[in-house]
Amino acid sequence: MEIGVNVLGLEALFDGKVRPVLDFAAGADRAGIDLICTGDHLGFNADAHAQRVVEHNFLFPLDHPWYEPISFLSSIAAVTERARLGVSVLIATVRPAALLAKQIATLDSLSEGRTVMGFGVGWQEAEYTATNMPFDARFGRMEETVAACRELWTKAPATFQGRDFAFENYHSLPLPIQPRIPVLFGFGPSRRNFDRIARVADGWTVNPTDLGTFTDSVALLRNTFEAHQRDPESARVQVSAAPVRRDNGSVDLSATADKARDWFARGASVVVFRPAVFDCAAEELPELLDWMTSIKEASHGPGTARSHRQAGNP
């Protein structure tokens, strides 16, 4: 059982200042949080954003700041020691594979091997237009992107020939600390998408809209891993969990903890909370961290998680 925090939007609790978010991340690391992550968008077309709000209840206003996630995580790496660092869903296919591989390898070096990345293809064509990347065939290109990154992460020189990316006798250093950086795909649950995960990735980062079929989807994912001659239990499943609310709209932490334990019982590897949506003030964040780590302690038995953290383990 792992607990993660997504720091996206947390600067709003500090009058828009980012430095206190780094202090929060350092405190989360000390408290025993297993994963610290953020989100990703390069920008928005105003009309596409308005449509997303209406049709999909997109929570972020147009003027919400989206800090470049690899740069942001590199800052967090400098103030933490043990928690994994990642992006819930990085829109990988608006970035050239060679640049993306370099960014992630650098983060893994700075963090001494703590990187885990969620990759997705996004929903907004404007981000592709702005980066001069093709919007069509982006699902297949993401699979090719990971394959190209794997070459660059493991070999110097590296050679790769794909439909969209190619390099020969190419040296890209540093190599990551980890022999295999975990990559999760943020795709909808289907046999075709899980085949993609099993071919080149290591797990699934779950969109909240897909939680209704979660149990069956996890079973399908693990069966797909087995069909590809991979250990089905090695598939990492990351769930982003919203707080449970009472009828009056207030956050019910007890019910939220029960819900998290239910996700774990049904196959989640890590449950991620985003403190910015828990209706708490900045001074209440340490108490919220204690509540998060208590979910692990309750499942491990009295004192187990605490002694594990004191030993310096995730």
Side-chain angles (χ1 to χ4, degrees), residues 176-240:
I177 300 296
Q178 298 178 86
R180 182 179 176 93
I181 291 180
V183 173
L184 287 61
F185 280 0
F187 286 167
S190 70
R191 170 70 71 179
R192 184 179 185 182
N193 284 339
F194 286 169
D195 274 335
R196 288 191 170 106
I197 293 174
R199 279 194 293 268
V200 298
D202 305 289
W204 179 37
T205 178
V206 188
N207 187 310
T209 60
D210 295 320
L211 289 174
T213 59
F214 181 74
T215 303
D216 290 342
S217 296
V218 171
L220 176 60
L221 175 67
R222 300 199 188 284
N223 288 340
T224 305
F225 264 53
E226 191 168 23
H228 284 261
Q229 286 77 53
R230 297 184 64 181
D231 178 4
E233 296 306 313
S234 71
R236 183 175 175 87
V237 179
Q238 181 172 307
V239 173
S240 295

Side-chain angles (χ1 to χ4, degrees), residues 90-101 104 119-121 133 137-153 160 162-165 167 183 185 200:
L90 179 83
I91 307 174
T93 41
V94 297
R95 295 164 166 91
L99 174 61
L100 182 62
I104 294 174
F119 280 6
V121 298
M133 298 291 279
R138 60 197 181 280
F139 286 88
R141 192 166 67 261
M142 190 163 87
E143 189 172 336
E144 183 175 299
T145 296
V146 176
C149 285
R150 296 274 190 221
E151 290 296 307
L152 293 167
W153 288 337
F160 181 82
R163 183 191 64 190
D164 297 296
F165 307 110
F167 41 84
V183 173
F185 280 0
V200 298

